[in-house]
Amino acid sequence: MTILDKIVKDKREEVALRKGLIPITQLEQSVLFERETISLANNLRKSDSGIIAEHKRRSPSKSVINQDLNVQEVARGYEDAGVCGMSVLTDGKYFGGSLDDLLIARASCNLPLLRKEFIIDEYQLLEAKAHGADVILLIAAILTRDEIKQFSEFAKSLNLDVLLEVHNEAELHKSVMPSLDMLGVNNRNLKTFDVSLETSKTLSTLIPNDFVKVSESGISNIEAIKELKPYGYQGFLIGENFMKTDNAGESAKQFIKDLQS
């Protein structure tokens, strides 16, 4: 059983439990359910940096990254730095995140917020909307083509942007459909946790230009971004690089400044 299998198994139990506690009607009555969402895809198309900055306390591959930074300060710092959007990890067991983190981030900034989560049920999309997300992540490795279609179309009906993440060519081929906004290539091999930018380069030619191309994982310096831009990438998801410092917002600001100089 891979770590991903384990996460998905736990996630199914967790979602079943939450569905029993909070009915859909309660989510739909949330104040944030009616708010107008901000499109991350549009922001990335217009941006010259393309940075999506992440709030992430820990991960299965790195254990603790930073438990000390509070979400409010990180969100404000990222907005001040001029990032295109913020990714908020909401998985508790493996990443130390929660839906409360999403609520706090929403109250602290006007950035498009991505709910970074292992989505296996439509219920999680309603949760995302009710907690102020603008974008959801779908991971091709854990979903069938039918599920990708069902969840992405449901997300669009809620006015949420959809970022679909792939790791290889097979996942990409089963995933391409009109209900996606962005295609993310994760440079981390989920079996070995090794990271290589070659994954983004190889898959770039197979991604239709209708989608905003996003590169994820292993982007820790401006050279990596400069290397990937000629391949058509407009979005770059950076988490650990900013989060492992004492001031995530400040390090994002410096990173963007260096990138633009």
Side-chain angles (χ1 to χ4, degrees), residues 16-33:
L17 193 67
R18 286 217 302 271
K19 274 170 125 170
L21 293 170
I22 299 172
I24 285 173
T25 48
Q26 194 176 323
L27 293 173
E28 289 173 339
Q29 283 158 9
S30 144
V31 177
L32 290 168
F33 210 84

Side-chain angles (χ1 to χ4, degrees), residues 133-147:
D134 302 276
V135 194
I136 55 122
L137 174 76
L138 297 178
I139 302 171
I142 62 174
L143 300 169
T144 63
R145 182 173 174 83
D146 286 346
E147 286 172 325

